[in-house]
Amino acid sequence: DIQMTQSPSSLSASVGDRVTITCRASQGITSYLNWYQHQPGKAPRLLIYAASNVPSGVPSRFSGSRSGSAYGTDFTLTINSLQPEDFATYYCQQSYSYPYSFGQGTKLEIK
Amino acid sequence: QVQLVQSGAEVKKPGASVKLSCQTSGYTFSDYEIHWLRQAPGQGPEWMGLINPKSGDKNYAHTFQGRVTMTRDTSISSAYMALSSLRFDDTAVYYCARARVYDSNGYYLYYFDYWGQGALVTVSS
């Protein structure tokens, strides 16, 4: 099974800041990586699919990228100019192989 | 608009079974896989498995093999997930999610574009 490790596990930032969350896969997953935002009491929301694609309706301040080896083990979610509604928990998820797996989450809190 | 509406919260005793439903609308049910996931308090989501509404094919996470059963009723565009032999650590919010496929030069990546609102299952004696 593929393990997904996120860092940091929590992060404090202010409105207007730029933040970066990283996700590492235990083996190469090419670009089979998605990011979700989860706010308490709500269903998770898709932010990024296939490492860097932003679905329609997601603000352009959210972006994703892949780095590291050609096999794809390291990924980044960047949020530019944080807005109050962005304070939530973020998860990466691999869909390279079953069982699909998620990172443990990064909780983004207001400083 | 696409909607996935789940059944309500359940409280079960250890050893019992639970069956959750996921009623979909706003799209052609048979065109998209339905996946089930759960999230225990303080943890990330955990993938449980999927059902292909068109074929009925299923794929279960090995963690749940023997305890989980996923079914669907295409006549009412609904999917179901039953979990048996419940344990205290099965307490979680359970979600159904629609999986959409992204075709990138022959590589097919799946992602969850719509989710149900979640159903809390509490296992308590």
Side-chain angles (χ1 to χ4, degrees):
Chain A
D1 297 0
I2 298 174
Q3 308 302 317
M4 307 300 294
T5 304
Q6 286 181 235
S7 61
S9 56
S10 64
L11 178 58
S12 294
S14 302
V15 172
D17 284 352
R18 177 175 183 263
V19 299
T20 298
I21 299 169
T22 62
C23 177
R24 173 166 289 177
S26 60
Q27 65 183 73
I29 59 171
T30 63
S31 293
Y32 286 69
L33 190 283
N34 308 312
W35 289 96
Y36 300 87
Q37 177 192 66
H38 196 190
Q39 295 178 325
K42 295 186 176 182
R45 173 195 183 194
L46 176 70
L47 291 179
I48 303 287
Y49 65 95
S52 60
N53 292 271
V54 182
S56 61
V58 174
S60 58
R61 62 181 180 274
F62 293 94
S63 64
S65 63
R66 163 188 157 181
S67 61
S69 74
Y71 298 102
T73 57
D74 296 314
F75 302 87
T76 299
L77 172 70
T78 300
I79 312 172
N80 289 299
S81 188
L82 275 172
Q83 298 300 299
E85 61 268 29
D86 298 337
F87 294 93
T89 301
Y90 293 84
Y91 296 97
C92 60
Q93 175 247 330
Q94 66 82 17
S95 56
Y96 182 81
S97 66
Y98 299 126
Y100 290 172
S101 49
F102 290 76
Q104 81 281 10
T106 296
K107 186 173 184 179
L108 179 54
E109 299 174 305
I110 300 176
K111 185 183 288 183
Chain B
Q1 72 283 21
V2 174
Q3 286 190 305
L4 285 71
V5 179
Q6 297 183 231
S7 48
E10 303 264 9
V11 179
K12 297 291 183 181
K13 294 190 182 303
S17 298
V18 68
K19 185 174 184 178
L20 306 178
S21 67
C22 175
Q23 183 163 14
T24 73
S25 60
Y27 72 99
T28 302
F29 179 63
S30 58
D31 285 351
Y32 298 85
E33 295 175 347
I34 292 290
H35 292 234
W36 288 88
L37 307 98
R38 73 179 187 180
Q39 186 165 23
Q43 297 184 24
E46 180 180 21
W47 183 80
M48 300 180 70
L50 68 92
I51 184 166
N52 181 314
K54 181 178 290 184
S55 64
D57 289 345
K58 301 147 196 173
N59 188 322
Y60 300 147
H62 49 76
T63 305
F64 300 98
Q65 286 279 0
R67 288 209 298 145
V68 69
T69 304
M70 296 180 187
T71 57
R72 92 292 190 207
D73 184 339
T74 56
S75 69
I76 57 171
S77 301
S78 293
Y80 305 88
M81 189 282 295
L83 188 63
S84 62
S85 303
L86 288 169
R87 307 184 293 248
F88 293 118
D89 63 0
D90 289 318
T91 294
V93 177
Y94 289 74
Y95 294 97
C96 59
R98 188 182 86 161
R100 185 158 185 169
V101 63
Y102 172 65
D103 180 357
S104 175
N105 298 321
Y107 291 90
Y108 298 98
L109 175 145
Y110 286 85
Y111 57 91
F112 305 126
D113 63 346
Y114 287 93
W115 297 62
Q117 82 276 19
L120 175 62
V121 174
T122 302
V123 183
S124 173
S125 55

